[in-house]
Amino acid sequence: VAKSKDGPLASALGYEQNKYDQLHVPSREGKRLITQAKNANYRAALISLYSIWSHYMRDILGLMYQVSPHQVSQKAHGEIKFNEIINLGSYEAIQQYIIDHVFRGLENEQSTKKLLDKIIKHTKISLSQSLKVNALAYLEIRHLLVHANGYIDEKYQKTYGGIVTCETGKKLKMKWSIVDAAFGKVEELCREIDRLLIAGGYINGR
């Protein structure tokens, strides 16, 4: 294994250079590349977390439909034409069509908070504001990463600056502690939503 600081990183790591183009840099730059790789993984994890959250909320809407279909269908405007009913072919397919349509309508508002609030609006559950805000602080990071290249805007800083250390106009410093806290806080919120909805009879136990 090459030990020279001036040799390519691939050689320093014992890999074949022709297989790893991204390692054709001096090994002395390894620390920078490792940092970049970490940041890319942190970014991907936070974006994936939002996707997981989105799937979870869609599933919650589906579970609510099983108990109270009219309450769910009223959350967004829409209708199904005769030919669409025929093409769907079964009541189960029609149900899924309605759930997907309602969810897309809520998701199109492009607000994580509104999505959550409107899905549980017809219920009488009372989510802890602290629990909700702590989870939203991390879920909203996805918007910053995708639409603002990670730069903090004034709205985010004012709303969540007390939870996530950040500064308006500057990039969010990606750290493992942020990713770890994000998954932990979102999981806490999901568990509490499940608990309250099951206890209130708005979804069946699972």
Side-chain angles (χ1 to χ4, degrees):
V1 176
K3 298 296 183 182
S4 171
K5 291 184 178 180
D6 293 320
L9 188 58
S11 295
L13 295 174
Y15 293 127
E16 294 182 30
Q17 295 181 46
N18 61 344
K19 288 187 177 180
Y20 301 95
D21 291 338
Q22 66 271 37
L23 298 182
H24 285 186
V25 296
S27 58
R28 59 188 169 186
E29 295 186 27
K31 185 176 180 181
R32 176 177 62 83
L33 290 176
I34 290 171
T35 298
Q36 288 178 344
K38 283 183 178 179
N39 287 340
N41 284 335
Y42 296 157
R43 173 190 171 94
L46 291 168
I47 291 174
S48 293
L49 175 62
Y50 189 91
S51 179
I52 293 168
W53 159 260
S54 180
H55 283 293
Y56 167 76
M57 292 308 299
R58 184 191 293 265
D59 286 346
I60 285 294
L61 200 63
L63 292 171
M64 286 178 166
Y65 186 94
Q66 293 175 8
V67 175
S68 185
H70 290 288
Q71 292 285 4
V72 170
S73 63
Q74 290 170 6
K75 292 180 184 293
H77 298 293
E79 58 185 24
I80 304 179
K81 297 178 180 179
F82 289 153
N83 66 315
E84 291 175 326
I85 294 174
I86 294 169
N87 289 335
L88 287 167
S90 68
Y91 182 60
E92 289 74 18
I94 293 171
Q95 286 180 309
Q96 192 58 52
Y97 176 92
I98 294 171
I99 293 164
D100 290 343
H101 176 81
V102 171
F103 187 79
R104 282 195 302 271
L106 299 176
E107 197 174 37
N108 284 341
E109 294 196 32
Q110 298 183 337
S111 168
T112 310
K113 182 179 183 299
K114 286 182 180 179
L115 176 68
L116 171 59
D117 289 344
K118 288 191 175 184
I119 285 179
I120 65 173
K121 184 177 180 180
H122 74 279
T123 73
K124 296 178 182 179
I125 70 170
S126 180
L127 276 175
S128 160
Q129 187 65 16
S130 174
L131 191 65
K132 184 164 72 171
V133 170
N134 271 277
L136 288 173
Y138 295 100
L139 288 168
E140 292 289 5
I141 290 177
R142 181 261 180 196
H143 175 83
L144 298 176
L145 294 174
V146 172
H147 300 291
N149 199 27
Y151 284 92
I152 304 297
D153 57 35
E154 185 176 359
K155 180 180 179 182
Y156 183 89
Q157 200 283 326
K158 283 186 176 180
T159 307
Y160 305 117
I163 300 169
V164 178
T165 302
C166 59
E167 187 176 344
T168 302
K170 293 190 176 181
K171 266 193 172 185
L172 177 67
K173 293 182 179 179
M174 304 298 286
K175 298 181 291 185
W176 165 247
S177 59
I178 289 179
V179 177
D180 188 40
F183 276 81
K185 295 300 180 182
V186 172
E187 181 183 0
E188 284 182 36
L189 179 61
C190 292
R191 288 186 181 278
E192 183 66 359
I193 291 172
D194 268 12
R195 186 186 70 82
L196 292 173
L197 290 177
I198 291 171
Y202 299 105
I203 64 174
N204 295 319
R206 52 176 179 161

